[in-house]
Amino acid sequence: MAELNLILLGPPGAGKGTQATNLTADFGLPHIATGDILRAAVAGETELGREAKRYMDAGDLVPDKVITGVILERVAEDDARDGFVLDGFPRTVDQADSLGKELEARERRLTGVLLIDTPDDVVIKRISGRRVSRKTGRIYHVDFDPPTHEGRCDVDGSELIQRDDDREETVRKRLVVYHEQTEPLIAYYEDLGLLRRFDGTRSPSEVHAHIRATIATLRLEDEL
Ligand code: AP5
């Protein structure tokens, strides 16, 4: 079976993390989430974390030189040999160029770029209700996907928290940054014939079903 190398693209709160978790369960692929890697580095007070924190708190992107090497190394690890789900990378044209070169050097290529299209007003509502387990990484929403017991993760009962960068003013800044720096990737991957669009205003299970059907088609096309 060919590799399944996927990128999830979309604004903050579009549901990239939610769908990446589903895809990991469906296909056994590692979920490589830049935001999670950076938040773990901040919590661990590593050099990467210290450097990244001020940008993340302000809703800005961490500089390309800080993040690109970390992700390219991660994609080259053994567990990503049969494929990966990249969530939050690339986020700039420079990052996309670096990823393309790295994959080409290893004679690998992307299977598809999955854009979860979601308008700004929906994103703002969603992010204010997001809760996450720091331990399991499971994502909830107080209205749209609540845990069985308030404030506790269904997986292991761990505490659910609100992310530091989920305050409304930071979310608005993250949206501006998305439109300016990340949105150009839509045309970039459209030109490469890799982009597939999904309506992010649908329910998580509808988005999931649509993505699965698209991946089945991508795999068939790959085998032809
Ligand atoms: P990161 O953690 O990647 O944040 P993001 O891209 O802004 O995305 P989010 O995690 O906020 O949202 P999501 O799309 O995963 O939505 P989710 O599934 O949680 O990055 C954080 C920061 O790190 C950046 O600001 C930057 O500073 C830095 N960074 C990261 N990558 C970088 C890079 N490559 N270069 C430079 N800097 C980088 O869903 C949101 C909520 O909605 C949840 O509550 C969920 O339950 C709910 N929900 C999901 N889907 C649906 C649905 N269909 N209907 C209703 N509710 C839904």
Side-chain angles (χ1 to χ4, degrees), residues 13 16-18 39 60 88 91 95 130 140 163 174 202:
K16 302 182 296 294
T18 301
R39 280 185 288 279
D60 281 321
R91 253 177 153 104
Q95 290 180 11
R130 171 166 53 193
Y140 298 86
R163 269 169 45 177
R174 284 161 58 198
R202 297 296 196 76

Side-chain angles (χ1 to χ4, degrees), residues 10-19 33-36 38-39 52 55-57 59-64 67 71 87-92 95 116 122-123 126-127 129-132 138-142 144-145 163 165-166 174 199-205 207:
K16 302 182 296 294
T18 301
Q19 297 305 330
T34 341
D36 290 348
L38 289 171
R39 280 185 288 279
Y55 296 101
M56 294 174 78
D57 285 349
D60 281 321
L61 292 186
V62 169
D64 288 348
I67 188 70
I71 300 303
D87 161 12
F89 188 94
R91 253 177 153 104
T92 63
Q95 290 180 11
I116 308 182
V122 173
V123 158
R126 276 192 196 164
I127 290 191
R130 171 166 53 193
R131 301 291 180 273
V132 191
R138 168 79 162 86
I139 303 163
Y140 298 86
H141 191 282
V142 291
F144 309 134
D145 183 16
R163 269 169 45 177
D165 59 349
D166 278 355
R174 284 161 58 198
D199 179 357
T201 64
R202 297 296 196 76
S203 71
S205 56
V207 179

